[in-house]
Amino acid sequence: FEKYSGIQSASYFTRFMDFGSVAVARTPRDLTKELALILEGADRCKKDRELYMSSFIRPRGSSRLPSEYAADEIELLVAEKKI
């Protein structure tokens, strides 16, 4: 896990955890409970993940590719002679 220790300070990871987008099992008993829920088809974090995706990852929606939004922003910068 040391290999991934830096990810915990990344803004996207922090926001992901703050939104409650994933269940965290802190004990073997918690892990067993979470796995049982998953196997039953329950996804208690689904709405939180959807909120995270819509507010942080895809705030402009999902009707266009992210690269199209990036191209729009670059065109605006060029038009404003900022690049």
Side-chain angles (χ1 to χ4, degrees), residues 19 48-61:
F19 270 83
D48 294 324
R49 274 194 308 279
E50 289 171 348
L51 179 60
Y52 170 76
M53 291 297 293
S54 67
S55 66
F56 188 69
I57 301 298
R58 300 295 298 266
R60 295 184 179 181

Side-chain angles (χ1 to χ4, degrees), residues 32-44:
T32 302
K33 288 179 182 177
E34 291 300 327
L35 289 174
L37 288 170
I38 291 168
L39 292 173
E40 291 171 1
D43 187 351
R44 65 185 185 93

